[in-house]
Amino acid sequence: DCYAGSSYSQFAWIYINNAATSKNFANYSSISRCVTENSGYYVLYLSRGKSYCPSINMSMNKCQRRIILCDPYNDPNNIISSLSYSTFADNIATGYTCIWLNTGGAKFEIKSCNILRNTQGTLGTQGTIYTSGNLMIEDSCILENNANCIFYQTSSSYTITVSNCTVDKTTSYRSFKIQ
């Protein structure tokens, strides 16, 4: 039940040193019912370092731009951002997207997650899952999300790969493959 006191983040904006040795964790947490649709840009914003979100529950949140934003250190040879064993359900991003993994050319992973019934307020923008690097999605359920595009890749130089997942829609923008 958090309410944005600033325009950036409703629950937390964690900004750390931008180095491979810095780690930005949000783990074993439940973040729900944070609602600020006109001024809160993000519910959770992890900026710089390597970002890890094991076992988080982000459900029933509503914000103006993105539910979770990971903007980590850029290391194209190693996974620098990981969402694992987590649930993202029944969220509404009135302007853009649910999950935003944003560092050009970086490696991201989503493992064993539930991404369910999220809604994009402006359907034509940036999809349910947005990335600007290589993203591997494994062993996850991605169902009943309301967006024109579920998987959104900003550059044709990188790929979103889905492996061993339950997915009801595979609408995508740019490089996408099912393994």
Side-chain angles (χ1 to χ4, degrees):
D1 293 324
C2 293
Y3 179 82
S6 74
S7 60
Y8 285 103
S9 186
Q10 291 171 225
F11 180 76
W13 178 15
I14 304 167
Y15 188 91
I16 64 171
N17 187 32
N18 198 26
T21 56
S22 299
K23 295 181 180 150
N24 208 341
F25 279 89
N27 54 339
Y28 306 105
S29 301
S30 185
I31 303 165
S32 65
R33 296 186 316 268
C34 296
V35 177
T36 310
E37 62 187 281
N38 295 320
S39 63
Y41 289 173
Y42 319 103
V43 175
L44 179 61
Y45 184 170
L46 303 176
S47 185
R48 302 185 170 213
K50 292 184 178 183
S51 58
Y52 301 97
C53 294
S55 301
I56 64 170
N57 170 26
M58 293 191 71
S59 299
M60 298 179 288
N61 298 291
K62 189 172 186 179
C63 70
Q64 185 183 28
R65 293 194 179 180
R66 295 160 181 101
I67 301 302
I68 183 170
L69 165 58
C70 296
D71 191 16
Y73 172 80
N74 192 355
D75 178 354
N77 299 314
N78 297 297
I79 294 170
I80 49 91
S81 188
S82 176
L83 307 176
S84 60
Y85 305 101
S86 296
T87 296
F88 304 90
D90 301 307
N91 297 293
I92 299 171
T94 59
Y96 294 97
T97 189
C98 180
I99 298 170
W100 197 34
L101 306 172
N102 183 50
T103 299
K107 282 183 156 180
F108 301 96
E109 73 176 4
I110 296 175
K111 285 174 49 172
S112 303
C113 289
N114 294 310
I115 302 167
L116 310 169
R117 298 177 307 276
N118 297 289
T119 299
Q120 207 176 343
T122 306
L123 291 178
T125 59
Q126 301 180 352
T128 301
I129 302 167
Y130 167 107
T131 185
S132 57
N134 287 308
L135 171 60
M136 172 60 86
I137 305 172
E138 298 177 290
D139 306 318
S140 296
C141 289
I142 305 167
L143 299 169
E144 298 180 33
N145 294 288
N146 184 18
N148 286 350
C149 189
I150 302 300
F151 306 97
Y152 190 97
Q153 174 56 262
T154 62
S155 171
S156 56
S157 300
Y158 309 111
T159 303
I160 297 172
T161 304
V162 173
S163 175
N164 198 35
C165 292
T166 301
V167 180
D168 61 354
K169 290 192 275 184
T170 57
T171 53
S172 62
Y173 180 74
R174 292 207 172 106
S175 301
F176 173 79
K177 70 179 180 178
I178 298 174
Q179 197 173 48

